[in-house]
Amino acid sequence: MKALDIFFRPETVAIVGASKTVGKVGNVILSNLLESNFRGRVYPVNPHVDSIYGRKVFASVKDVPEQVELAVLATRAEVVPQVMQDCAEKGVKGVIIVSGGFAEVGDEGMARQKQVKEIAEQAGMRVVGPNCIGVYDSESEMDTMFMPRYRMSRPRRGRIAFITQSGAFGIAVLDWAASRGFGVSKFISLGNRVDVDELDCLEYLADDEQSRVIALYLESTVDGRRLIDTAKKVVKNKPIVALKAGVTARGAQAVLSHTGSLAGSDGIYDAAFEQSGIIRTYGPQDLFDVARAMANQPLPKGDRVAIVTNGGGFGVIATDAVDGYGLKMADFSEETTRYLREHLPPIVSTRNPVDLVGDADAERYRLAIDALLEDPSVDEIVVIILFQTPNLQPDIVGVLAAATDKRQKPILVCTTGGDFAELHTRMLERAGVQVYPSPRRVVRVMATLLEYRKYREKLEAPTKAL
């Protein structure tokens, strides 16, 4: 078992601070685990309660009748050091402290956090937190988030691992991802990082078979040089997509009051990301725009983009974006051009962008996309769909899902509009098709896929002897 496995797939979990009161943190965490498909054994711990949900409650973690692998602490900050000592005596391997009231609140909290750290180090316990949400694993359904499931949906299984220094940011993004049908493999909220930090998580996730890409919300790092060295190793096999907050002087000051850490110069992070191959993004949507494409799309072999649309104006906007992001519009082969002319109506423009015009149906899209998949002069395909036109039916979902499943080239879709377009967007996304609401966002992601491929090739290139 790898060091951090204990947080994601423990066999025994003690919820210290479990409560009968609906809405209290200790009650929500316990009920979430009991209602999920988590297969581990769960033990409530609270010296003032005899039973919760028909389960015996133990006065101390030391009273649990078997070895406790993981303890989740949902108690007042003042009693956390004593609970930590109990965990040490019990031989607990991992602790998640969701309680706040530590380094983020000043000197008294800082002293309390130092005490927690010393106890953990002496006992050899790994600790996530304090002041965090904890973890979520979509496969094991280990879930320490203290948000009721009726208020916050949990994402389905997916290939994006998500590390965040802000629990609030993390749960909002997870809830949004779940509502869109986006999948997540693992989630970890670090909080004040008394022990486990973003670097430990990057090293752990580098070998995680569930995770194809790592999304990172970062306010500060514990060790800039180690971040660079660790990221360089990770990105050889899987991309890291980061959102760095605390960019301005006021933002950096807010970081200090949020998690009790120093944010550092934004320029330094920019240089570190570039040096280590971390892909930087600038907002939650941007973070997941890139991450979900990285998780589900093949990397392009080059910079030549083909555009297929049923709306000429959107094709023009996409063409401008291709030029703006340093990509190239593909020149189709003679075979492709001939095929498109023979199989599509005369009113269709067979040049790039391919304008299928307003009466296009799913079959017209299929013919065009299949031809472009086979054309060696095309590296990436942008498909623009206006669902407001009359001939498009739900069978377009199957056409795009089948093309995406071939994984020959990256295929990203753009569609926008009202309720009808949104309904079909959800259908596409649930079928595994990556959909974006504007041509510029699609092309931006295409450019990022190529950027990552070039960085990988640079790492793999043999070093010339001096």
Side-chain angles (χ1 to χ4, degrees):
M1 177 181 284
K2 291 184 288 185
L4 300 191
D5 276 348
I6 197 67
F7 296 107
F8 297 101
R9 49 179 72 98
E11 294 185 3
T12 52
V13 182
I15 310 299
V16 185
S19 173
K20 275 187 172 181
T21 306
V22 174
K24 277 201 167 186
V25 171
N27 175 272
V28 176
I29 295 173
L30 177 63
S31 61
N32 282 343
L33 279 177
L34 296 180
E35 292 170 8
S36 73
N37 291 320
F38 177 66
R39 296 181 180 179
R41 297 177 295 284
V42 181
Y43 293 97
V45 175
N46 187 326
H48 308 296
V49 180
D50 293 328
S51 68
I52 304 175
Y53 299 129
R55 287 178 173 252
K56 176 179 172 59
V57 179
F58 298 89
S60 166
V61 70
K62 294 191 292 185
D63 298 328
V64 174
E66 65 171 316
Q67 175 63 47
V68 174
E69 291 188 343
L70 177 67
V72 181
L73 277 51
T75 66
R76 291 180 293 108
E78 294 80 5
V79 302
V80 166
Q82 180 56 57
V83 176
M84 286 289 294
Q85 190 60 51
D86 291 344
C87 289
E89 294 176 15
K90 179 67 175 178
V92 174
K93 297 177 181 178
V95 179
I96 296 174
I97 307 173
V98 301
S99 314
F102 292 86
E104 78 279 5
V105 298
D107 292 342
E108 183 179 350
M110 183 71 78
R112 191 178 296 126
Q113 184 165 309
K114 183 179 179 182
Q115 189 179 3
V116 166
K117 182 177 180 67
E118 290 172 351
I119 295 170
E121 288 178 345
Q122 291 171 5
M125 290 186 295
R126 300 308 310 267
V127 180
V128 170
N131 185 31
C132 72
I133 304 297
V135 305
Y136 171 71
D137 187 305
S138 61
E139 183 176 57
S140 71
E141 293 200 34
M142 179 61 197
D143 180 359
T144 68
M145 296 185 289
F146 50 85
M147 287 70 197
R149 293 189 171 216
Y150 74 90
R151 287 179 177 262
M152 178 199 157
S153 300
R154 272 50 171 180
R156 63 178 177 81
R157 291 188 189 183
R159 297 165 174 166
I160 301 173
F162 184 18
I163 307 167
T164 178
Q165 288 179 8
S166 166
F169 177 86
I171 60 173
V173 171
L174 283 188
D175 193 23
W176 169 76
S179 74
R180 303 297 305 192
F182 303 155
V184 169
S185 56
K186 289 179 171 64
F187 165 84
I188 184 163
S189 159
L190 298 172
N192 294 6
R193 300 175 297 181
V194 71
D195 172 36
V196 175
D197 57 40
E198 67 281 355
L199 306 178
D200 297 321
C201 293
L202 289 175
E203 290 175 347
Y204 171 74
L205 293 168
D207 300 319
D208 181 47
E209 294 181 358
Q210 286 180 262
S211 307
R212 185 172 288 176
V213 59
I214 301 169
L216 171 65
Y217 171 83
L218 190 68
E219 293 179 351
S220 65
T221 186
V222 294
D223 186 334
R225 171 47 58 186
R226 188 178 156 214
L227 173 64
I228 293 172
D229 293 342
T230 301
K232 280 183 176 179
K233 295 175 184 176
V234 175
V235 298
K236 289 180 180 179
N237 299 310
K238 63 183 67 171
I240 302 170
V241 185
L243 169 57
K244 171 66 176 71
V247 173
T248 64
R250 286 292 181 93
Q253 187 177 5
V255 168
L256 181 61
S257 62
H258 181 206
T259 58
S261 58
L262 295 172
S265 166
D266 187 63
I268 293 174
Y269 282 95
D270 241 354
F273 289 174
E274 184 176 354
Q275 186 177 347
S276 60
I278 295 175
I279 300 164
R280 184 167 189 177
T281 59
Y282 292 90
Q285 282 186 331
D286 194 19
L287 180 69
F288 262 70
D289 275 359
V290 175
R292 60 196 179 95
M294 290 285 184
N296 296 288
Q297 294 290 328
L299 296 178
K301 294 180 180 179
D303 59 0
R304 299 166 298 179
V305 179
I307 299 169
V308 182
T309 180
N310 64 342
F314 274 79
V316 174
I317 294 170
T319 301
D320 285 341
V322 167
D323 290 339
Y325 283 108
L327 301 175
K328 298 175 183 176
M329 292 294 285
D331 294 320
F332 301 155
S333 69
E334 292 182 8
E335 292 81 4
T336 297
T337 302
R338 186 184 312 114
Y339 179 88
L340 293 175
R341 286 174 178 167
E342 291 174 354
H343 290 82
L344 295 174
I347 58 173
V348 169
S349 170
T350 56
R351 292 179 295 180
N352 195 11
V354 179
D355 186 356
L356 302 177
V357 303
D359 66 344
D361 58 9
E363 178 61 13
R364 204 176 288 181
Y365 270 98
R366 186 191 67 77
L367 288 167
I369 294 170
D370 284 351
L372 298 175
L373 283 172
E374 296 299 325
D375 190 335
S377 66
V378 173
D379 301 311
E380 306 171 85
I381 302 174
V382 173
V383 180
I384 300 171
I385 304 176
L386 300 181
F387 279 106
Q388 295 82 359
T389 59
N391 285 348
L392 280 176
Q393 302 298 325
D395 56 347
I396 187 66
V397 175
V399 167
L400 289 167
T404 299
D405 286 345
K406 292 177 182 178
R407 292 186 60 81
Q408 292 175 253
K409 300 171 184 178
I411 301 175
L412 299 181
V413 174
C414 168
T415 188
T416 189
D419 293 342
F420 189 79
E422 180 64 18
L423 172 65
H424 286 79
T425 295
R426 299 294 182 93
M427 292 168 63
L428 286 166
E429 288 172 341
R430 290 191 174 94
V433 180
Q434 276 73 63
V435 185
Y436 302 87
S438 77
R440 290 195 66 83
R441 278 172 64 176
V442 173
V443 177
R444 148 79 169 134
V445 173
M446 286 293 195
T448 305
L449 290 172
L450 182 61
E451 176 187 336
Y452 176 62
R453 180 184 181 90
K454 287 181 176 179
Y455 187 84
R456 285 267 299 267
E457 289 174 346
K458 181 180 176 182
L459 290 178
E460 294 165 2
T463 304
K464 294 181 179 179
L466 297 177

